[in-house]
Amino acid sequence: MIRVVLVDDQALFRAGIRMLVASQPDLDVVGEAGDGREAIDLIRSTRPDVVLMDIRMPVMDGLTATAEILAQPDPPRIVMLTTFDLDEAAARAIRQGASGFLLKDADPEFLLAAIRTVHAGSSVIAASATRELFQHFAEAPKPVPARFAALTDREREIFALAARGLSNSEIAAREYLSEATVKTHISRILTKLTLRDRVQLVVFAFEHGLA
C-alpha cells in the first residue's frame, strides 16, 4: 500500500484528489493539509511514501515546506503541483530534491501513474517536461564534479540520452540494448554520481552544462 499525503489550500481540489486516489486498491490517503506548516507536522506523524504538494499556499508555501521536509531523515517523495507548465518555482523545488511536478489539470490516470512511478523511484515524471522546464530557467553552468569522470564511455552515452528525457525503452532501441541492460546502466550512473533518481540526473546535467 502506497501512503499518500495531499497538501493544497483548496479544500475542493483536495477532496477531488482524495476520491481519485482512494479509489485505487494500492493507494491510501493518510492525511491532508492546507498549508506547508501544517504539512510538515502531518508528515512527521503519518510518515507517508509520497506527498502531492501545491507550490503556492498561505502561511508557508510549498517550496519552503519541501526544503524542510527533505532535510529530515528518510523523507517521502514529493511531487509539486502547479498550474503553469513552465513554473520557475517548480524548477527550484526540483533542484531542492522534489521528485518532479504535475500540472493540476493533469489527466487522472497520469496522476495515479505518477504516484506509483515516484514511489518506485525508478523513473522521472514527464522527463521531457522537466527538461523543457530547466531549459527555460537555465542558469550559468557549474564546474563538472570529479565524480563524473568515474562514468565509462557507455555510461556517458546513456547519461546524455537520459538527460534529454528519453525513457529506458527509447534508449534501448537507440543503443540496441535490452531495457534491463539500460536499467542497470542507469542504476550505476545514479550510484556513481550520488543521485537519487532520473529527475536529479536531469538537474545534474543542466546544472553542469552536460545536457
Side-chain angles (χ1 to χ4, degrees):
M1 186 69 74
I2 301 172
R3 297 164 56 81
V4 181
V5 157
L6 312 176
V7 186
D8 194 286
D9 61 327
Q10 297 177 351
L12 192 59
F13 179 79
R14 290 202 312 270
I17 299 298
R18 173 186 276 276
M19 287 177 62
L20 173 67
V21 174
S23 71
Q24 303 299 299
D26 61 329
L27 305 180
D28 182 25
V29 177
V30 295
E32 51 183 271
D35 63 69
R37 171 52 58 198
E38 192 180 328
I40 291 170
D41 295 336
L42 176 65
I43 288 163
R44 283 199 187 105
S45 62
T46 58
R47 307 297 299 168
D49 301 305
V50 177
V51 178
L52 300 179
M53 175 82 73
D54 189 18
I55 290 178
R56 292 166 180 82
M57 295 179 290
V59 184
M60 179 186 284
D61 62 46
L63 279 177
T64 307
T66 294
E68 192 165 328
I69 292 163
L70 292 175
Q72 297 172 7
D74 193 24
R77 300 273 177 171
I78 299 180
V79 179
M80 309 308 294
L81 299 173
T82 177
T83 311
F84 315 105
D85 55 354
L86 290 177
D87 189 338
E88 186 174 13
R92 286 168 57 199
I94 292 170
R95 283 194 174 94
Q96 289 175 349
S99 293
F101 72 98
L102 283 172
L103 294 179
K104 283 192 166 186
D105 62 356
D107 289 340
E109 289 303 318
F110 185 79
L111 185 144
L112 294 172
I115 292 172
R116 296 181 178 107
T117 296
V118 166
H119 178 253
S122 61
S123 186
V124 61
I125 296 176
S128 57
T130 303
R131 178 179 166 78
E132 185 180 357
L133 185 72
F134 279 88
Q135 281 177 322
H136 194 76
F137 299 109
E139 298 177 359
K142 303 174 185 176
V144 178
R147 63 184 185 272
F148 188 73
L151 299 187
T152 65
D153 289 343
R154 172 59 98 182
E155 286 168 350
R156 290 189 190 205
E157 289 173 10
I158 291 174
F159 170 91
L161 294 173
R164 286 170 51 190
L166 273 66
S167 66
N168 284 358
S169 60
E170 289 169 334
I171 295 173
R174 190 173 182 129
E175 296 294 303
Y176 303 102
L177 299 170
S178 70
E179 283 191 53
T181 299
V182 172
K183 189 173 181 180
T184 299
H185 279 305
I186 292 289
S187 179
R188 287 175 181 162
I189 291 166
L190 295 177
T191 299
K192 288 182 179 181
L193 299 181
T194 63
L195 302 174
R196 190 181 62 192
D197 53 32
R198 290 176 67 134
V199 172
Q200 297 304 306
L201 185 152
V202 173
V203 175
F204 181 95
F206 271 91
E207 286 187 336
H208 299 99
L210 298 168

